[in-house]
Amino acid sequence: SAAGKKISDYLRLRPDAGVAYPNLRLPGVSDTLETLIDTTAKLNGLVFWASWCGPCINEIPQLKQLQEQFGKKGLRMTSISVDTNKEAWNNAVLQHAMPWRQLLINTDRIETVQQIFNFTTIPFLVMTDSKGKEVARFADYDEGNTKKYAEAIERFFSR
């Protein structure tokens, strides 16, 4: 059945706790495939979002603040869009001038990526170490997220 296939796919794709996420290759703004996790960065901030998502847009100033505060310490931000309209995504990337990598999940892979990273809502931020092991995860937008994000980053860098 379709439901059984979805459950089977979910169980097959979902990494176990403590196991690194797969380093997927996704297209960037110039359509070049790029690895999702930067293995040279101390900490990866993977931000799942979409151009049509109001809370995602509201979160961008917080993410810019984090990038400014922690970028030189080893944080590498990457935004990964679940947009199905590439033109809308490109326009949003230009309009909001996010100074970090921008990747787009091909429409036919969105559900698979959601299963791998175990999220159903955006904005969704997962932080990983250089090997792709999860350090922290946050779902949804809140004005207080900047403080939570910064605390998680500082805990990671101080260990």
Side-chain angles (χ1 to χ4, degrees):
S1 75
K5 183 179 176 345
K6 281 189 176 215
I7 291 169
S8 176
D9 287 347
Y10 170 77
L11 293 173
R12 180 178 50 80
L13 294 170
R14 182 186 56 91
D16 294 326
V19 175
Y21 288 110
N23 202 356
L24 306 174
R25 293 173 51 85
L26 301 173
V29 175
S30 63
D31 284 331
T32 304
L33 290 178
E34 299 182 38
T35 56
L36 185 61
I37 297 164
D38 182 346
T39 58
T40 66
K42 291 179 184 174
L43 182 66
N44 287 277
L46 307 177
V47 182
F48 294 88
W49 75 295
S51 64
W52 46 261
C53 168
C56 299
I57 302 303
N58 291 339
E59 185 177 58
I60 292 171
Q62 292 180 352
L63 299 173
K64 286 181 177 180
Q65 182 181 347
L66 287 175
Q67 176 66 32
E68 188 174 309
Q69 186 177 356
F70 297 105
K72 290 182 179 145
K73 294 181 181 180
L75 172 66
R76 174 74 190 263
M77 298 287 287
T78 301
S79 287
I80 305 103
S81 177
V82 298
D83 271 282
T84 56
N85 181 328
K86 187 175 182 181
E87 185 178 340
W89 169 67
N90 271 320
N91 290 339
V93 167
L94 290 172
Q95 179 183 355
H96 298 289
M98 294 170 275
W100 52 82
R101 290 188 316 154
Q102 301 293 320
L103 304 177
L104 177 67
I105 305 170
N106 291 329
T107 303
D108 62 340
R109 293 184 69 196
I110 291 173
E111 190 172 322
T112 299
V113 173
Q114 287 176 317
Q115 290 173 343
I116 290 170
F117 286 90
N118 193 22
F119 72 95
T120 57
T121 184
I122 54 174
F124 173 71
L125 169 67
V126 63
M127 295 179 192
T128 75
D129 65 14
S130 62
K131 294 179 174 108
K133 290 185 181 179
E134 184 176 306
V135 173
R137 67 176 29 232
F138 302 91
D140 300 320
Y141 168 76
D142 185 284
E143 288 182 19
N145 279 356
T146 306
K147 183 178 179 186
K148 293 176 194 172
Y149 296 164
E151 287 171 355
I153 294 167
E154 287 171 354
R155 264 193 318 273
F156 175 81
F157 285 138
S158 67
R159 58 180 190 157

